[in-house]
Amino acid sequence: MAYEINEQKKIGIGLIGFGITFTFLGVILFFDMGLLALGNIFCLSGVAVLLGWHSTWQLFTRRTSYKGSVSFLVGFFLIFIGWPIVGVILESYGSIVLFSGFWPACKAFLCHIPILGWLFQYSFLFFDRFKLKSGS
């Protein structure tokens, strides 16, 4: 396997999983601020444990990622002061901008999971069926 998963990385992945779960529940339960705040704390701590504190700090303070960092942190703050819908929208945009460089590594990791890996490797089989035929 190309990626070594030690105990610290397992904890980081677990914290990120809890964060995504709490955030999902917070959105489903009409933007519950408590669940959204817990999800944010779990996600941030999971990223910090997974990448390391120094790498996380560099991720948020790089000159190329200021737009994503500012929108993510403003969204984080808005959730805590009581504007959860606007906060989630800003956080989502910030997350996409900040973590867009990680998608190839995530795809490579997910390709090693039995069923998901097959879907990622042979996704062209599914998308060919949904293409519109020209001239029809």
Side-chain angles (χ1 to χ4, degrees):
M1 189 170 191
Y3 297 102
E4 172 94 22
I5 298 180
N6 57 12
E7 294 300 318
Q8 184 175 354
K9 289 183 181 180
K10 287 179 186 177
I11 292 170
I13 291 171
L15 286 172
I16 292 172
F18 278 125
I20 291 171
T21 302
F22 278 109
T23 302
F24 178 73
L25 286 174
V27 170
I28 293 297
L29 296 174
F30 304 111
F31 291 93
D32 182 39
M33 290 189 313
L35 288 172
L36 290 173
L38 274 174
N40 285 333
I41 292 169
F42 278 136
C43 278
L44 281 178
S45 61
V47 167
V49 169
L50 185 65
L51 297 178
W53 298 104
H54 185 69
S55 296
T56 303
W57 181 256
Q58 285 181 343
L59 175 71
F60 279 95
T61 58
R62 272 192 315 221
R63 185 174 210 94
T64 58
S65 63
Y66 276 153
K67 190 180 354 178
S69 298
V70 168
S71 64
F72 183 83
L73 294 174
V74 167
F76 188 77
F77 178 72
L78 287 175
I79 287 175
F80 279 106
I81 64 168
W83 289 32
I85 296 173
V86 178
V88 166
I89 291 170
L90 278 174
E91 274 190 352
S92 300
Y93 172 73
S95 295
I96 289 170
V97 171
L98 276 174
F99 299 113
S100 61
F102 290 103
W103 295 124
C106 289
K107 183 181 177 189
F109 174 75
L110 290 174
C111 283
H112 292 289
I113 298 174
I115 294 172
L116 285 176
W118 186 82
L119 289 175
F120 277 113
Q121 290 172 357
Y122 300 107
S123 61
F124 63 89
L125 294 175
F126 296 108
F127 293 123
D128 284 343
R129 294 180 186 168
F130 297 116
K131 287 184 182 177
L132 295 174
K133 294 181 181 180
S134 60
S136 296

